[in-house]
Amino acid sequence: MSSRRGPKPHRIAPQWLAAFAGLLTCASGAQAVEYVRIPAGTFSSVLASDAAPGPAAYREFDMRTNPVTQGEFQAFVSANPQWRRDRISRTFADAGYLQNWRSALVLANDQADRQPAVNVSWFAAQAFCEGEGARLPTWSEWELVAAADGSRRDARDDLAWRARILSWYARPATQALPLVGGAPNVYGVRDMHGLIWEWVDDFNALLVNPDSRSAEDADKLQFCGAGAINLQQRENYAVLMRIALLSSLNASDSTSTLGFRCVRPTH
Amino acid sequence: MSRHLQLRKFLVVGALICTAFGASAATPAASVATLPSASIYHLSTPLTDQNGKQFKLEDRRGRPMLVSMFYTSCQFVCPMLVDALRETEAKLTSAERERLTILMVSFDPEHDTISVLKATAEQRRLDPSHWTLARTDAGNVRKLAAVLGIQYRALANGEFNHTTSLILIDSAGRIVGRTARLGDSDPNFVKQVKATMQSDPQ
């Protein structure tokens, strides 16, 4: 009070403070967006490579700690109106796209902004991630992080853990989705299991038949046989169900339990 | 008062910077008002042809098109794919052939450079007036394949597993037919091509 009119040597011009506040408004929306480093290593996927079975090397990448929430997706749609449900091309999203919202820009209720974004097509998910300088994870990236529990990078041989994540699949799909923010796994990534199904970048390529090089009827060869025979860890139902679901989808499809998260390459 | 306005202006500037960044998310083509909702031309794939010429997928609007995806180091299926396209073309009248464009996009941008595409086009003697071999970056390959319903997966040995389709696109970009027949023409598919040429305004 005393020095109200006195000189302030390090005073920041109020207009810059205001501009900063404007930026902060934007940053606060993005504050919850956090990516964590997944270090390089080796991993045995359930989808063994035809040419090189066994553990495969992968490079480091950053993964979003949380699935994208409805609140975050609402902000994206507001800024990119071509992704509104009433403006979207049928090429990019089916009729179910964002149908769980009250209207084109309004979520169903007050809690909804912290629920995972669902009813989104692969194209919409990919566009959202591009807006974060990211992309959808590949299946391998997703599977790698999903193998971890709270203390181990690869908990897949633990039958109790498997049973726990499997129990989620018994939850009726009609129940309201829980909020994002479950317990973190060893990488600090949340909700890989027990909340939603998730899009991956190469969702439609997981069971392509190695013999599609033959001249026989490709429809007959498309899904059966060799692709399935190559699956490893056949008792890991929770992960195999994901592959089965993803392989059944088209990129414009959307369902009430299918959401996504993003990854950023570090190189 | 004027101070207040100034502050608000800067606040708006800050918020605008944020919005601009948010809005820069890669998005489909902009001026698509007249396209049918199910048109593949909503996807604005940047492509480069075997002569190094850049174009966009939607530049193909206005003429029916056969489209397929391939990779040049593929020894077996891809030559048969070219044969199937050729055989299909051969069943058309010369007037129909004139109007039909053929586009083959590579799964393998890393190896299928412009010069590789050029060499393949010349080796297979593909008429450059209506055959285009093209490439784009890996992210756009995935999107284009998704729009076309083509599945593919890169293998560790450099090969690609992929479903093989010849896809018929009408002049507005709707998928109106497809066949998985290789090496030869599919009579039903040829019928669909001819029907599309007839119903499509010149």
Side-chain angles (χ1 to χ4, degrees), chain B residues 33-110:
Chain B
T34 57
L35 280 180
S37 188
S39 172
I40 67 164
Y41 295 132
H42 289 286
L43 190 69
S44 186
T45 308
L47 294 156
T48 308
D49 74 10
Q50 70 268 27
N51 296 314
K53 192 181 151 231
Q54 299 189 348
F55 65 105
K56 291 263 171 73
L57 185 65
E58 78 244 28
D59 295 345
R60 293 300 170 105
R61 274 177 82 170
R63 288 167 79 184
M65 170 169 78
L66 294 182
V67 59
S68 193
M69 297 182 77
F70 78 116
Y71 64 107
T72 60
S73 57
C74 164
Q75 298 300 314
F76 190 60
V77 156
C78 302
M80 297 178 71
L81 189 61
V82 172
D83 292 344
L85 284 161
R86 257 198 230 282
E87 291 296 319
T88 305
E89 237 195 339
K91 297 282 192 299
L92 304 178
T93 67
S94 61
E96 287 167 336
R97 254 197 308 278
E98 277 304 300
R99 285 190 60 224
L100 187 70
T101 62
I102 298 176
L103 174 66
M104 296 178 71
V105 181
S106 171
F107 291 114
D108 189 7
E110 199 179 327

Side-chain angles (χ1 to χ4, degrees), chain A residues 14-15 18-19 22 26 50 80 82-83 89-92 122-123 130 201-202 204-205 208 210 212-213 215 222-223 251, chain B residues 3 7 10-11 18 22-23 25-28 37-39 42 76-77 80 142-143 146-147 151-153 155 161-163:
Chain A
Q15 54 267 46
C26 134
D50 310 314
N80 300 275
Q82 65 273 42
W83 292 101
S89 150
R90 278 287 164 270
T91 302
F92 299 125
W122 179 87
F123 289 108
E130 285 174 13
D201 180 68
D202 50 352
N204 66 353
V208 178
S212 65
R213 275 158 285 179
Q222 198 155 309
F223 290 114
Chain B
R3 179 105 211 215
L7 286 185
F10 273 84
L11 191 74
C18 143
T27 45
S37 188
S39 172
H42 289 286
F76 190 60
V77 156
M80 297 178 71
R142 185 62 73 193
K143 285 181 194 168
V147 159
Q151 298 167 281
Y152 72 100
R153 182 158 71 105
L155 302 179
N161 280 345
H162 62 94
T163 54

